[in-house]
Amino acid sequence: MKKYKIGYTTGVYDMFHIGHLNIIIRAKEWCEYLIVGISTDELVKSYKHKTPIIPFEERKAIVEAIKYVDQVVPQTSMDKMEAWKQFHFNAIFHGDDWKGSNMYNDIEKKLNEVGCDMIFLPHTAGTSSTLLTETLHKILTDQEK
């Protein structure tokens, strides 16, 4: 396994769960210094058309408390090249559920041109923030009946 000096990963990290932790742990295994970009509430609203359940500052505090994380930064844009220009990371990490998508193929090509590798890490099956939100909504709806 190649060891990178600076690694970068991003996410919303809403309703923090084991899948989030697994990505962070696996990313840190690949690099000396791990920067985690957390999507701001405004960014999430702009592309997911919904507001995170957990506010940005609380999601940031949760991720900052994880021993594998060296730095937490707000992600205000989906443009990974913009992030690279700011942080000059050597590798970017994403869940392999995005591998082969047109969006990430394009991002990977642009980052490779500046010497940055894209590493896809195994997605944790069986849990997601969306699933947790749907389950919580169902429980609350059932209680109202």
Side-chain angles (χ1 to χ4, degrees), residues 30-77:
W30 284 84
C31 62
E32 293 174 29
Y33 189 87
L34 180 62
I35 302 169
V36 178
I38 300 179
S39 298
T40 61
D41 294 342
E42 296 75 22
L43 180 63
V44 175
K45 288 177 198 173
S46 75
Y47 75 94
K48 287 193 173 192
H49 309 291
K50 64 181 182 179
T51 302
I53 292 172
I54 309 298
F56 171 78
E57 289 299 330
E58 292 179 22
R59 292 182 283 121
K60 182 176 180 273
I62 290 165
V63 175
E64 284 175 332
I66 299 168
K67 68 180 180 180
Y68 304 99
V69 176
D70 296 296
Q71 182 180 357
V72 173
V73 298
Q75 178 181 232
T76 58
S77 167

Side-chain angles (χ1 to χ4, degrees), residues 16-121:
F16 197 90
H17 56 75
I18 193 66
H20 294 140
L21 185 59
N22 286 341
I23 287 288
I24 289 170
I25 291 171
R26 290 174 182 143
K28 182 62 177 180
E29 290 171 352
W30 284 84
C31 62
E32 293 174 29
Y33 189 87
L34 180 62
I35 302 169
V36 178
I38 300 179
S39 298
T40 61
D41 294 342
E42 296 75 22
L43 180 63
V44 175
K45 288 177 198 173
S46 75
Y47 75 94
K48 287 193 173 192
H49 309 291
K50 64 181 182 179
T51 302
I53 292 172
I54 309 298
F56 171 78
E57 289 299 330
E58 292 179 22
R59 292 182 283 121
K60 182 176 180 273
I62 290 165
V63 175
E64 284 175 332
I66 299 168
K67 68 180 180 180
Y68 304 99
V69 176
D70 296 296
Q71 182 180 357
V72 173
V73 298
Q75 178 181 232
T76 58
S77 167
M78 296 299 286
D79 185 343
K80 304 305 185 211
M81 284 305 299
E82 186 178 302
W84 182 85
K85 288 174 186 170
Q86 187 173 1
F87 301 110
H88 298 284
F89 41 84
N90 312 106
I92 187 167
F93 305 96
H94 279 286
D96 63 6
D97 49 329
W98 288 97
K99 190 173 186 171
S101 69
N102 288 337
M103 181 172 78
Y104 275 85
N105 286 343
D106 185 50
I107 292 168
E108 185 172 14
K109 182 177 180 245
K110 288 177 182 175
L111 287 170
N112 280 236
E113 289 172 2
V114 295
C116 180
D117 292 338
M118 180 166 286
I119 309 295
F120 290 98
L121 301 169

